[in-house]
Amino acid sequence: MTLINTSIAHRRRRASILKTITHLVAVHRQRKALARMDDAALDDIGVSRTQAHREASRPIWDAPETWRC
């Protein structure tokens, strides 16, 4: 029984790690896309060039809590 429980726990931990990596990659892509937006697109979403640059410059692990999966 312990062997089965250990195996399940290991799979869950691996799934959690993969989910975290997937999330970090998504944050990175979103920030890259934000950095590439032109001024008209930024104006449409209500973000200044300075705000976009500041957000795009943040490290991938520094994401707002609302972005988390």
Side-chain angles (χ1 to χ4, degrees), residues 3-64:
L3 183 58
I4 293 171
N5 289 341
T6 303
S7 177
I8 292 170
H10 179 69
R11 277 187 263 143
R12 285 183 183 156
R13 187 170 35 250
R14 187 174 2 170
S16 176
I17 291 169
L18 288 174
K19 186 176 180 181
T20 299
I21 291 170
T22 301
H23 170 72
L24 292 174
V25 169
V27 168
H28 176 71
R29 287 181 178 161
Q30 291 168 17
R31 288 184 173 155
K32 287 290 212 181
L34 182 65
R36 289 190 304 265
M37 288 180 144
D38 63 9
D39 290 334
L42 290 172
D43 190 45
D44 283 346
I45 63 172
V47 175
S48 71
R49 172 66 53 201
T50 302
Q51 290 170 319
H53 177 70
R54 190 178 306 129
E55 182 63 36
S57 300
R58 292 170 66 179
I60 58 174
W61 58 85
D62 185 17

